[in-house]
Amino acid sequence: MSESVLQVFRETGAYLKGHFRLTSGLHSSEYLQCALVLQHPAIAERFGRELAACLPACDVVVAPAIGGLPIGHEVARAKGARFIFTERD
């Protein structure tokens, strides 16, 4: 992760320090709370463009609901692709 991206997470309060139990069951002393950074539309658009530039051409972008919706949508917009999302069963 570039320093400028990490700085955006810090400035928006989305870079957290403490003790976190991750979904995987692992533990971490740091956590990036994407919902806190992606609530800013201009930042979400920027991150979506930057991520899209790293990916090959595509017709569809798929992201997980609920947390993946904002960034998935922005990546799809930047790619000029359709956007769909998945849900857990």
Side-chain angles (χ1 to χ4, degrees):
M1 176 182 314
S2 74
E3 184 58 36
S4 64
V5 170
L6 188 54
Q7 186 61 33
V8 171
F9 274 82
R10 286 183 176 129
E11 289 170 0
T12 58
Y15 174 71
L16 307 175
K17 288 190 157 214
H19 180 261
F20 306 95
R21 183 171 181 263
L22 308 176
T23 304
S24 65
L26 297 175
H27 297 263
S28 178
S29 61
E30 300 171 301
Y31 187 74
L32 297 175
Q33 179 52 272
C34 292
L36 293 176
V37 76
L38 295 175
Q39 68 184 337
H40 303 278
I43 295 171
E45 180 182 14
R46 174 188 152 198
F47 283 4
R49 280 194 324 267
E50 290 178 8
L51 185 55
C54 299
L55 301 172
C58 62
D59 296 323
V60 178
V61 173
V62 181
I66 290 278
L69 295 178
I71 195 64
H73 186 269
E74 291 301 330
V75 169
R77 180 164 45 164
K79 299 297 268 179
R82 187 169 65 115
F83 172 65
I84 60 175
F85 62 92
T86 62
E87 296 185 70
R88 288 186 185 178
D89 250 348

